[in-house]
């Protein structure tokens, strides 16, 4: 193989791996941000549950204070009732007592509702807190993994840079410039040529060019996509074999009726 073609083929593998690693490194902070956002959501759920419990308790204390207030009023009305002079005054006081008792009853109903509500709020707080605990542990684990992965990727990238520089320094300037241009535009600069076609853009190459590509002795570019073409004899062999088998099988099928008459097992 032409040494430049050999080096560019290797270089392309390294460049592709380097861009995969670069993308992965760039994507990791985003992944961490996503899981942290999820964690923040769970934290907010816990805070909301706590706020609801606090609100419940505040309302309950208010209700209890209201009951006390109404009870004091009732006591006052009752003590006043012993010193009223007219039936109307007495009825008016008793009306006030009745009203205060209704208010107390209403507050008691509300307190009962709040107590039932509190039980549910406390249950959902426990669930939210348990979820948050698990989630926080998962986030720490994922963050640690992301950090390790980033460090590993960066180490690999550094290793690739060395190999990359070495390969680039050995390639003819114009071939390298062509490679860089196509790589920038198409994210791949090398393509296999098979069955007289560029396997990247599937456009046919001229028979003369095809013969030249098959030798792998020159830098030949695809007229359509600009990629540098190489020939792999192994894929031609791999393709030829199933075709041969097919032919053999066809011959076998033709021979079968005769063999069936004699009830013999075909041997291969
Ligand atoms: Zn092409």
């Amino acid at each position: 193989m032409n040494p430049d073609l050999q080096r560019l083929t290797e270089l392309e593998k390294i460049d592709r791996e380097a861009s995969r690693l670069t993308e992965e490194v760039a994507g990791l902070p985003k992944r961490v941000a996503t899981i942290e956002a999820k964690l923040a959501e769970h934290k907010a759920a816990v805070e909301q549950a706590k706020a609801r419990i606090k609100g419940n308790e505040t309302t309950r204390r208010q209700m209890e204070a209201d009951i006390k207030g109404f009870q004091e009023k009732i006591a006052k009305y009752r003590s006043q009732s012993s010193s009223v002079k007219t039936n109307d005054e007495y009825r008016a006081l008793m009306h006030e007592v009745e009203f205060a008792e209704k208010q107390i009853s209403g507050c008691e109903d509300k307190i009962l509702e709040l107590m039932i509500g509190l039980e549910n709020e406390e249950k959902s707080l426990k669930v939210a807190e348990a979820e948050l605990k698990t989630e926080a542990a998962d986030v720490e684990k994922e963050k640690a993994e992301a950090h390790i992965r980033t460090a590993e990727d960066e180490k690999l990238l550094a290793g690739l840079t060395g190999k990359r520089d070495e390969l680039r320094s050995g390639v003819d300037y114009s071939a390298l410039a062509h490679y860089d241009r196509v790589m920038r535009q198409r994210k791949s600069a090398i393509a296999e040529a098979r069955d007289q076609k560029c396997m990247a853009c599937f456009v046919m190459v001229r028979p003369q060019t095809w013969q030249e590509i098959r030798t792998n002795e020159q830098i030949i570019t695809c007229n359509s996509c600009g990629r540098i073409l190489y020939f792999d004899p192994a894929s031609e062999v791999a393709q030829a074999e199933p075709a041969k088998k097919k032919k053999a099988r066809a011959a076998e099928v033709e021979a079968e009726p005769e063999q069936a008459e004699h009830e013999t097992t075909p041997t291969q």
Side-chain angles (χ1 to χ4, degrees), residues 64-74 100 104:
E64 281 163 354
D66 288 353
I67 289 175
K68 214 179 157 203
F70 288 122
Q71 281 168 341
E72 280 164 8
K73 273 184 187 166
I74 291 170
I104 289 174

Side-chain angles (χ1 to χ4, degrees), residues 16-266:
R16 283 211 211 194
E17 177 64 359
S19 61
R20 187 190 70 79
L21 289 168
T22 308
E23 269 172 35
E24 191 171 77
V25 167
L28 285 168
K30 271 186 216 149
R31 214 179 93 198
V32 170
T34 310
I35 53 179
E36 277 184 335
K38 223 168 111 195
L39 184 69
E41 250 174 56
H42 280 93
K43 271 184 189 158
V46 167
E47 289 314 311
Q48 279 162 10
K50 280 182 181 168
R52 280 198 299 271
I53 288 172
K54 212 176 163 188
N56 182 304
E57 282 162 352
T58 308
T59 315
R60 190 175 155 180
R61 270 197 299 277
Q62 184 58 54
M63 291 290 141
E64 281 163 354
D66 288 353
I67 289 175
K68 214 179 157 203
F70 288 122
Q71 281 168 341
E72 280 164 8
K73 273 184 187 166
I74 291 170
K76 199 177 81 187
Y77 297 145
R78 286 203 194 284
S79 75
Q80 282 173 1
S81 71
S82 57
S83 56
V84 292
K85 301 205 168 50
T86 66
N87 277 342
D88 281 350
E89 275 179 337
Y90 183 79
R91 265 200 297 276
L93 277 174
M94 285 307 107
H95 185 76
E96 291 294 337
V97 168
E98 206 183 311
F99 177 79
E101 277 172 346
K102 263 190 192 154
Q103 293 298 312
I104 289 174
S105 172
C107 287
E108 280 169 345
D109 286 348
K110 183 86 178 121
I111 286 173
L112 199 64
E113 265 173 43
L114 285 167
M115 281 164 78
I116 295 165
L118 186 66
E119 269 176 41
N120 292 329
E121 301 292 3
E122 278 171 344
K123 264 183 214 158
S124 52
L125 174 63
K126 265 188 194 152
V127 172
E129 277 177 336
E131 275 177 1
L132 180 64
K133 206 176 158 188
T134 318
E135 185 100 23
D138 286 352
V139 167
E140 284 314 307
K141 209 176 128 204
E142 284 210 42
K143 270 165 83 177
E145 277 169 6
H147 279 130
I148 292 169
R149 176 67 69 82
T150 305
E152 279 172 359
D153 284 357
E154 277 165 355
K155 206 172 143 192
L156 286 171
L157 273 169
L160 290 180
T161 308
K163 273 191 210 160
R164 191 172 176 265
D165 292 346
E166 194 188 312
L167 283 166
R168 288 178 71 87
S169 66
V171 182
D172 165 72
Y173 176 78
S174 68
L176 189 63
H178 180 82
Y179 168 91
D180 283 340
R181 202 160 44 241
V182 179
M183 195 70 184
R184 254 196 321 277
Q185 287 167 355
R186 302 195 182 273
K187 312 280 173 219
S188 84
I190 310 284
E192 186 189 348
R194 199 191 292 169
D195 289 343
Q196 221 178 309
K197 268 185 304 214
C198 162
M199 295 309 283
C201 70
F202 298 103
V203 170
M204 298 284 288
V205 296
R206 281 196 294 273
Q208 171 66 31
T209 315
W210 173 235
Q211 290 314 315
E212 286 164 2
I213 293 166
R214 286 173 65 90
T215 65
N216 276 334
E217 287 309 322
Q218 290 175 62
I219 299 283
I220 296 168
T221 58
C222 172
N223 270 337
S224 171
C225 70
R227 290 183 181 88
I228 296 163
L229 297 169
Y230 71 92
F231 172 69
D232 182 2
S235 43
E236 196 169 57
V237 171
Q239 270 196 322
E241 272 182 356
K244 266 189 219 159
K245 272 187 191 158
K246 218 176 174 182
K247 270 186 194 166
R249 176 78 194 127
E252 227 171 68
V253 170
E254 272 175 26
E256 259 167 21
E258 263 190 342
Q259 284 172 337
E261 266 185 33
H262 302 293
E263 288 179 27
T264 52
T265 314

